[in-house]
């Protein structure tokens, strides 16, 4: 019995040692050696067939959690550096957060196909969720939730200075946050999210038109004074204001989140 357990442990360690190195390279965005999808998928397939699904799932989430703890520590350092600046400029801190989220989402896109067999036959069947959702929730739990008030407050201040933040980067950041927050962040900070994510505010009523025009004129005047009317950021979006959002990873995840795994009959 003990020999059998020892053999199984050794077998799993062999599986995980190879896969974990590939996952680490993906998380660090340092693909020094090419990660073979076929090889990694095959190892995960064998691991699931040998009964190691639960252990591999726990080890994967543990590895991603440790990575995000390092990300959180780096964010803390960037925040301290921003606080020490005389002007209190939070631009570098916001952009570091944006890049960290983008990097992690890119990593999740590469990790989930490798573990697709484990996701299908363990995560979805046993845990009634998906690997993508669990990995995205990790970023929210380990990094985003505790910093949202600081991030939103900093962005609100920086938006008072046109072009301090790239409109394209902010649009992507808010859409990604809307995705990992499953809409909660949009409900908590509707004024900011409605700038970049359609559908945050209720449909515009006829009685809102005059106020919306006045708001737009005020924004135009402020930007003209700054000499940048041509690059004006859009005002608050309502349903139907902007249909120019192409398909994104987070859009696909949001669609999956809407389709809950059916319960046991």
């Amino acid at each position: 019995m003990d020999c059998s357990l020892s053999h199984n442990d050794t077998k799993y360690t062999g599986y995980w040692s190879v896969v974990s190195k590939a996952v680490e390279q993906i998380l660090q965005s340092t693909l020094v050696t090419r990660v073979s999808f076929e090889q990694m998928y095959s190892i995960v397939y064998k691991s699931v067939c040998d009964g190691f699904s639960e252990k591999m799932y726990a080890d994967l989430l543990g590895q991603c959690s440790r990575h995000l703890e390092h990300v959180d520590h780096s964010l803390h350092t960037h925040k301290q550096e921003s606080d020490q600046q005389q002007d209190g400029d939070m631009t570098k801190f916001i952009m570091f957060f944006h890049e960290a989220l983008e990097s992690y989402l890119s990593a999740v896109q590469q990790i989930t196909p490798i573990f697709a067999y484990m996701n299908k036959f363990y995560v979805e069947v046993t845990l009634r969720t998906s690997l993508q959702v669990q990995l995205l929730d990790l970023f929210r739990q380990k990094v985003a939730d505790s910093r949202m008030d600081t991030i939103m407050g900093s962005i609100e201040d920086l938006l008072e200075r046109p072009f301090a933040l790239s409109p394209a980067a902010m649009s992507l950041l808010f859409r990604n946050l809307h995705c990992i927050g499953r809409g909660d962040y949009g409900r908590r900070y509707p004024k900011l999210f409605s700038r970049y994510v359609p559908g945050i505010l209720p449909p515009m009523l006829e009685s809102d038109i005059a106020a919306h025009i006045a708001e737009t004129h005020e924004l135009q005047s402020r930007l003209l004074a700054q000499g940048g009317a041509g690059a004006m950021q859009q005002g608050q979006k309502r349903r139907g204001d902007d249909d120019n959002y192409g398909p994104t990873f987070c859009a696909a995840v949001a669609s999956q989140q809407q389709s809950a795994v059916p319960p046991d009959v």
Side-chain angles (χ1 to χ4, degrees):
M1 184 71 175
D2 291 337
C3 292
S4 176
L5 286 173
S6 176
H7 172 72
N8 283 340
D9 289 343
T10 302
K11 193 174 187 180
Y12 174 74
T13 300
Y15 289 151
W16 179 243
S17 64
V18 177
V19 175
S20 63
K21 290 177 183 177
V23 170
E24 189 63 25
Q25 287 187 32
I26 293 170
L27 288 170
Q28 297 293 343
S29 302
T30 54
L31 298 179
V32 179
T33 57
R34 184 176 179 83
V35 173
S36 169
F37 169 80
E38 291 80 7
Q39 181 190 11
M40 296 305 111
Y41 184 91
S42 176
I43 293 173
V44 172
Y45 174 85
K46 292 175 183 176
S47 183
V48 172
C49 292
D50 287 343
F52 299 124
S53 296
E54 183 177 0
K55 185 166 180 56
M56 181 164 280
Y57 172 76
D59 284 344
L60 174 61
L61 263 63
Q63 183 174 8
C64 291
S65 293
R66 290 188 294 274
H67 169 75
L68 291 175
E69 286 167 4
H70 288 301
V71 170
D72 188 64
H73 178 73
S74 297
L75 274 167
H76 179 71
T77 301
H78 277 74
K79 176 66 166 56
Q80 287 182 320
E81 292 174 355
S82 297
D83 290 341
Q84 291 170 1
Q85 295 180 13
Q86 289 184 348
D87 58 359
D89 190 351
M90 300 291 285
T91 305
K92 290 184 179 179
F93 169 72
I94 296 300
M95 292 309 298
F96 182 83
F97 178 86
H98 164 58
E99 291 164 4
L101 176 53
E102 268 289 279
S103 176
Y104 184 71
L105 290 176
S106 176
V108 171
Q109 281 184 281
Q110 299 172 69
I111 290 170
T112 48
I114 291 174
F115 293 88
Y117 195 77
M118 181 188 77
N119 179 64
K120 182 176 181 180
F121 290 98
Y122 174 70
V123 183
E124 291 184 355
V125 173
T126 304
L127 305 181
R128 298 297 180 184
T129 181
S130 75
L131 183 59
Q132 274 188 346
V133 168
Q134 293 302 299
L135 291 178
L136 294 183
D137 278 351
L138 277 182
F139 191 95
R140 176 176 178 172
Q141 296 161 8
K142 297 288 184 179
V143 181
D145 271 353
S146 63
R147 300 185 179 277
M148 284 306 294
D149 287 341
T150 299
I151 290 168
M152 293 297 108
S154 300
I155 290 175
E156 194 165 23
D157 291 340
L158 289 169
L159 288 176
E160 293 298 317
R161 294 186 283 140
F163 322 121
L165 297 171
S166 161
M170 287 302 96
S171 178
L172 184 56
L173 171 60
F174 275 85
R175 282 183 284 160
N176 286 338
L177 285 172
H178 191 58
C179 166
I180 67 166
R182 304 196 197 185
D184 288 348
Y185 295 150
R187 286 186 286 273
R188 284 171 57 185
Y189 312 95
K191 183 178 179 181
L192 284 172
F193 273 80
S194 63
R195 288 175 175 263
Y196 305 101
V197 181
I200 295 297
L201 297 180
M204 184 184 294
L205 302 175
E206 186 176 352
S207 58
D208 297 328
I209 294 176
H212 186 62
I213 292 174
E215 175 191 332
T216 302
H217 286 167
E218 180 184 352
L219 181 60
Q220 288 175 333
S221 298
R222 189 164 68 243
L223 291 174
L224 281 169
Q226 297 283 339
M232 182 182 68
Q233 293 185 27
Q234 292 181 336
Q236 292 183 339
K237 290 182 173 67
R238 291 167 171 82
R239 285 193 186 94
D241 282 358
D242 191 350
D243 296 323
N244 295 321
Y245 292 100
T248 63
F249 170 59
C250 272
V253 173
S255 176
Q256 288 184 2
Q257 291 171 353
Q258 292 294 326
S259 304
V261 179
D264 291 323
V265 177

